[in-house]
């Protein structure tokens, strides 16, 4: 249950790893010395040489960096991991800074000679160059870019830090088992999932009542962040507030508009599920604190590490033998750390190891069904890494948020299929289907409310409205109602929900949310295709994952014969969700 990180490096002696990190900085500086100021005069052949050199550089030092990073996430209390992590952070910052000129000069070169992006010599890097070409017209001069960094430091970055510090230092009263307690935010939210309904209600009431009292602080922060963004849109000539995020995620407005229209047209599907869930919970109507609550009738199935491994591995093996072999390798070669330990990073992640054509996974395995799902999810990420690292250069292994969750969510659905087949009782089946549909509902519909809300903030500012706390709360309630209608009863204080969502305050990162909607519905659509086409579909999905970031999501879907700018594609995902809902209705 613990991982073996020694495979990442030739020598695990800390001083040897530190040396490797130091030579990474030296080598980055050497590249800078050789190429800085010269990229503008490169022809296709020498440009190819530079891009290959940079990729080689990435692979050469990936092991030492990963090792330092992962050993720290596995135990942040010990001295060696602390030192290595610090050395890694310092070195990677220096190397990134040294190599930052490459993209800036590349953008300038491509503006001068856009035909380079189409050069057959550079075909391996075509999509990367095309994306830089799109970015180029929105770049400012070097001095302006520097000024912008300085202004952000005490401007929007400071507002972001204030929001997060303010939230993490609030405390909230809650009576638990007759004892009055004062809890920090991180702890009280644990009660949102309590099987005790009244406790869930009181936890929500306490948090949002408390947060609402500081609406002046939250509203000031949101105003500053949004207004700054609009100013930058003007300066950088971004046509809409969403443009920079579309560029980062490698998608276009037409695709996202089609996606969001599909959501609006299908809110009744979600509401249908919410009404079923109310029945399952023995309620007339769900309250906001019931939406993702566990079903009261569930007798929880527990899994040992070996049992979870068996289900997950078999789910992948049944999909495809090669994929199954890789999953087995992840366990056999000890690339997964599942042990619960003090000092270990919370949550779960999968870190690619491109040079080893593999990956490493961290989770804290508690034996619950959710832990089995987390394992299937993270292993899906590793499948993506196995496929992409075998086919693509490191530049193309950097895939945007819309595509990054394809392997992982697909893996969850494979596990669902397996668990549903095995389930002996109706209760077990209900619990599995509710887990899947809860997640689908949250990622697709609840998250969409956040997208609509964020859009409405910019519209309101453009119309000259002053965004005080009350106005922002009204916009949030309106966006929320467009999704939930009258299917859920909300505590009045839930109008302050926007105050704690970090996403609305992240500096230089607007519209954080829609890739989650995209990813979930995209994978449900793919899974529906798999169910329709059977084994014929398997190589298609593998090709999509193997393409990594060498193509845009739109091109990747076109490869499967689908046009993601059309609502018909997204409807496939809704149809799959409806099938799960019907399965649930049949066993009610
Ligand atoms: Zn993920």
């Amino acid at each position: 249950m613990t991982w073996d990180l020694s495979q990442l490096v030739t020598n695990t002696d800390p001083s040897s790893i530190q040396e490797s990190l130091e030579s990474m900085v030296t080598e980055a500086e050497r590249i800078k010395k050789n190429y800085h100021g010269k990229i503008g005069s490169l022809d296709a052949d020498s440009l190819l040489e530079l891009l290959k050199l940079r990729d080689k550089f990435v692979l050469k030092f990936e092991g030492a960096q990963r090792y330092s990073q992962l050993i720290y996430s596995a135990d942040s209390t010990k001295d060696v991991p602390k030192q290595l992590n610090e050395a890694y952070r310092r070195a990677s910052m220096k190397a990134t800074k040294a190599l930052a000129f490459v993209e800036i000069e590349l953008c300038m070169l491509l503006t001068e000679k856009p035909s380079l992006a189409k050069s057959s010599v550079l075909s391996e890097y075509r999509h990367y160059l095309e994306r830089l070409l799109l970015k180029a017209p929105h770049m400012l001069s070097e001095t302006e870019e520097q000024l912008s960094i300085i202004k952000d430091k005490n401007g929007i970055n400071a507002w972001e830090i204030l929001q997060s510090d303010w939230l993490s230092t609030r405390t909230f009263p809650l009576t638990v088992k007759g004892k009055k307690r004062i809890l920090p935010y991180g702890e009280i939210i644990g009660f949102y999932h309590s099987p005790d309904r009244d406790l869930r209600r009181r936890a929500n009431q306490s948090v949002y009542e408390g947060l609402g009292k500081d609406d002046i602080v939250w509203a000031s922060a949101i105003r500053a962040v949004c207004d700054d963004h609009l100013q930058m849109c003007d300066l950088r000539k971004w046509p809409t507030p969403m443009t920079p995020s579309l560029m980062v995620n490698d998608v276009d407005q037409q695709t996202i508009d089609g996606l969001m229209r599909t959501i609006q047209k299908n809110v009744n599907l979600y509401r249908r599920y919410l009404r079923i869930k109310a029945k399952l919970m023995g309620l007339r109507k769900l309250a906001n604190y019931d939406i993702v609550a566990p079903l009261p009738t569930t007798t929880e199935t527990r899994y040992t590490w070996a049992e979870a491994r068996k289900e997950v591995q078999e789910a992948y093996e049944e999909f495809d033998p090669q994929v199954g072999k890789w999953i087995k390798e992840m366990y056999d070669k000890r690339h997964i750390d599942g042990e619960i330990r003090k000092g270990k990073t919370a949550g779960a992640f999968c870190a690619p190891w491109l040079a080893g054509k593999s990956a490493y996974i961290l989770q804290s395995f508690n034996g619950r069904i959710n832990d089995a799902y987390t394992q299937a999810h993270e292993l899906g990420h590793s499948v993506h890494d196995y496929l992409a690292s075998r086919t693509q250069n490191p530049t193309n292994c950097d895939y945007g948020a819309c595509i990054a969750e394809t392997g992982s969510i697909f893996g969850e659905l494979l596990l669902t299929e397996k668990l549903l087949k095995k389930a002996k009782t109706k209760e077990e089946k209900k619990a599995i289907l509710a887990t899947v549909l809860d997640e689908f509902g949250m990622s697709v519909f609840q998250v969409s409310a956040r997208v609509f809300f964020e859009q409405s903030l910019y519209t309101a500012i453009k119309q000259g409205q002053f965004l005080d706390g009350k106005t922002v709360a009204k916009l949030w309630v309106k966006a929320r109602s467009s999704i939930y209608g009258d299917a859920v009863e909300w505590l009045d204080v839930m109008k302050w929900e926007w105050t704690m969502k970090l996403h609305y305050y992240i500096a230089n990162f607007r519209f954080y949310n829609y890739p989650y909607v995209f990813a979930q519905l995209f994978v449900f659509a793919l899974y529906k295709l798999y169910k329709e086409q059977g084994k014929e579909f398997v190589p298609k999905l593998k090709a999509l994952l193997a393409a990594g970031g060498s193509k845009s999501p739109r091109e990747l879907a076109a490869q499967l014969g689908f046009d993601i700018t059309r609502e018909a594609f997204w409807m496939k995902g809704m149809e799959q969700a409806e099938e799960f809902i019907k399965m649930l209705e049949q066993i009610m």
Side-chain angles (χ1 to χ4, degrees):
M1 260 174 93
T2 56
W3 58 19
D4 168 20
L5 296 178
S6 69
Q7 297 157 48
L8 286 162
V9 285
T10 41
N11 186 348
T12 56
D13 180 25
S15 62
S16 140
I17 290 164
Q18 296 225 17
E19 257 168 49
S20 177
L21 291 171
E22 277 157 30
S23 57
M24 171 173 87
V25 179
T26 318
E27 201 154 322
E29 273 157 6
R30 193 181 314 135
I31 298 176
K32 183 172 181 181
K33 203 170 146 238
N34 292 339
Y35 282 97
H36 190 212
K38 294 175 191 155
I39 293 180
S41 57
L42 296 184
D43 60 11
D45 287 304
S46 12
L47 188 53
L48 180 67
E49 214 172 283
L50 168 64
L51 292 172
K52 289 229 178 261
L53 177 71
R54 194 178 59 170
D55 276 345
K56 231 173 98 187
F57 169 84
V58 169
L59 291 180
K60 185 172 172 189
F61 297 104
E62 188 197 22
Q65 293 191 83
R66 271 286 174 268
Y67 183 89
S68 312
Q69 201 186 8
L70 295 183
I71 197 175
Y72 179 74
S73 56
D75 189 351
S76 60
T77 59
K78 293 212 178 78
D79 285 343
V80 170
K82 272 195 229 169
Q83 278 157 15
L84 283 180
N85 184 55
E86 195 42 41
Y88 147 72
R89 274 166 34 100
R90 241 180 296 128
S92 75
M93 211 180 76
K94 279 187 195 161
T96 311
K97 211 174 143 200
L99 294 178
F101 77 97
V102 176
E103 286 209 349
I104 297 172
E105 289 189 26
L106 260 177
C107 279
M108 295 194 294
L109 170 65
L110 288 165
T111 312
E112 292 269 307
K113 292 186 210 158
S115 61
L116 265 180
K118 298 225 175 322
S119 153
S120 59
V121 177
L122 291 158
S123 61
E124 198 188 319
Y125 294 93
R126 176 167 301 166
H127 190 58
Y128 169 69
L129 296 173
E130 282 169 350
R131 292 184 66 189
L132 285 183
L133 191 57
L134 277 181
K135 216 168 112 179
H138 306 285
M139 282 176 47
L140 305 174
S141 72
E142 211 175 324
T143 325
E144 285 170 324
E145 290 287 357
Q146 275 169 3
L147 262 175
S148 158
I149 294 170
I150 296 169
K151 116 181 134 58
D152 286 353
K153 190 165 175 286
N154 297 306
I156 45 170
N157 291 354
W159 284 108
E160 179 190 332
I161 294 167
L162 174 71
Q163 190 270 345
S164 147
D165 285 355
W166 199 256
L167 182 64
S168 61
T169 51
R170 296 309 89 193
T171 52
F172 308 90
L174 186 69
T175 305
V176 187
K177 289 182 187 156
K179 226 175 121 191
K180 196 164 178 187
R181 297 173 63 185
I182 302 291
L183 300 165
Y185 182 74
E187 211 176 326
I188 193 167
I189 58 172
F191 292 99
Y192 289 178
H193 298 276
S194 161
D196 177 348
R197 187 169 192 238
D198 187 57
L199 187 57
R200 291 202 299 269
R201 180 186 62 78
R202 287 185 291 109
N204 272 273
Q205 178 70 31
S206 176
V207 167
Y208 292 102
E209 197 177 296
L211 294 180
K213 284 180 189 151
D214 292 328
D215 68 326
I216 289 184
V217 179
W218 314 111
S220 296
I222 229 168
R223 268 199 314 273
V225 172
C226 290
D227 195 47
D228 181 272
H229 182 59
L230 284 177
Q231 307 273 359
M232 293 314 285
C233 284
D234 270 355
L235 216 58
R236 290 187 185 274
K237 302 192 177 61
W238 284 321
T240 76
M242 210 191 242
T243 311
S245 138
L246 295 170
M247 283 185 181
V248 169
N249 293 316
D250 203 8
V251 284
D252 50 84
Q253 191 80 54
Q254 198 190 352
T255 299
I256 301 307
D257 288 348
L259 167 66
M260 298 319 291
R261 263 199 315 274
T262 313
I263 304 295
Q264 275 164 328
K265 286 185 186 164
N266 288 277
V267 287
N268 280 328
L269 184 70
Y270 184 38
R271 293 175 192 172
R272 176 166 146 202
Y273 169 63
L274 292 169
R275 289 190 187 105
I276 295 171
K277 181 150 182 185
K279 252 192 222 161
L280 287 171
M281 297 186 78
L283 302 167
R284 189 184 54 81
K285 198 190 246 192
L286 291 184
N288 64 276
Y289 42 86
D290 300 318
I291 297 176
V292 289
L295 298 183
T297 46
T298 311
T299 38
E300 209 185 357
T301 320
R302 305 285 294 194
Y303 297 84
T304 62
W305 178 258
E307 283 163 353
R309 170 181 175 164
K310 185 174 176 289
E311 300 302 342
V312 173
Q313 193 177 311
E314 280 177 13
Y316 279 104
E317 275 164 357
E318 283 160 24
F319 176 71
D320 177 63
Q322 188 187 37
V323 168
K325 202 186 90 202
W326 289 332
I327 299 290
K328 185 172 179 298
E329 186 179 288
M330 285 292 289
Y331 288 105
D332 287 347
K333 289 198 171 168
R334 291 180 48 215
H335 282 206
I336 313 174
D337 195 292
E339 194 186 56
I340 297 175
R341 279 192 306 274
K342 209 175 134 241
K344 183 170 166 175
T345 306
F349 63 76
C350 173
W353 178 31
L354 302 178
K357 301 196 186 310
S358 179
Y360 275 86
I361 288 173
L362 177 140
Q363 78 165 130
S364 291
F365 185 83
N366 243 318
R368 290 167 188 269
I369 184 168
N370 286 345
D371 297 316
Y373 267 103
T374 304
Q375 202 161 92
H377 180 100
E378 300 307 336
L379 280 164
H381 281 302
S382 76
V383 172
H384 206 161
D385 296 329
Y386 268 83
L387 282 161
S389 62
R390 276 165 175 73
T391 337
Q392 304 296 333
N393 57 45
T395 302
N396 288 340
C397 283
D398 184 9
Y399 14 92
C402 290
I403 285 301
E405 296 297 331
T406 308
S408 55
I409 301 176
F410 202 90
E412 285 184 41
L413 288 171
L414 293 177
L415 181 63
T416 298
E417 192 178 309
K418 179 114 186 75
L419 295 181
L420 280 176
K421 254 189 234 157
K422 263 195 76 180
K424 287 183 202 80
T425 63
K426 277 185 180 181
E427 296 309 306
E428 254 180 274
K429 276 191 186 154
K430 279 182 201 169
I432 297 164
L433 288 166
T435 307
V436 176
L437 287 165
D438 276 351
E439 194 192 318
F440 179 81
M442 290 301 281
S443 311
V444 170
F445 289 101
Q446 151 95 268
V447 174
S448 289
R450 297 179 202 159
V451 182
F452 297 141
F453 165 65
E454 210 171 341
Q455 281 170 329
S456 74
L457 288 174
Y458 293 105
T459 313
I461 295 175
K462 278 188 185 156
Q463 287 168 349
Q465 284 189 58
F466 182 72
L467 297 183
D468 56 9
K470 266 197 198 112
T471 311
V472 180
K474 245 186 226 155
L475 293 174
W476 167 241
V477 171
K478 195 172 166 219
R480 191 186 73 194
S481 305
S482 73
I483 294 294
Y484 288 93
D486 62 356
V488 171
E489 209 113 49
W490 297 81
L491 291 172
D492 181 56
V493 291
M494 295 312 290
K495 65 183 174 208
W496 303 118
E497 225 180 333
W498 53 275
T499 58
M500 46 55 73
K501 273 276 169 275
L502 177 73
H503 316 152
Y504 307 133
Y505 306 87
I506 307 176
N508 290 316
F509 203 164
R510 309 291 77 217
F511 292 98
Y512 174 96
N513 286 299
Y514 68 82
Y516 291 87
V517 184
F518 183 111
Q520 188 82 23
L521 203 56
F522 184 64
V523 177
F524 264 58
L526 295 183
Y527 184 72
K528 175 87 177 131
L529 290 174
Y530 170 48
K531 293 280 95 183
E532 286 171 5
Q533 300 174 6
K535 286 292 161 199
E536 204 183 289
F537 175 81
V538 176
K540 293 186 195 169
L541 181 73
K542 285 169 80 179
L544 186 149
L545 297 175
S550 66
K551 292 189 173 96
S552 70
R554 187 171 170 168
E555 290 168 309
L556 291 174
Q559 201 173 280
L560 293 179
F562 273 91
D563 181 356
I564 60 168
T565 61
R566 290 167 52 105
E567 287 168 43
F569 171 76
W570 299 110
M571 273 313 292
K572 283 260 161 216
M574 292 293 179
E575 283 164 26
Q576 180 56 50
E578 189 170 11
E579 256 168 52
F580 285 133
I581 292 176
K582 279 186 185 155
M583 284 165 89
L584 192 53
E585 280 167 343
Q586 274 161 15
I587 50 170
M588 288 281 285

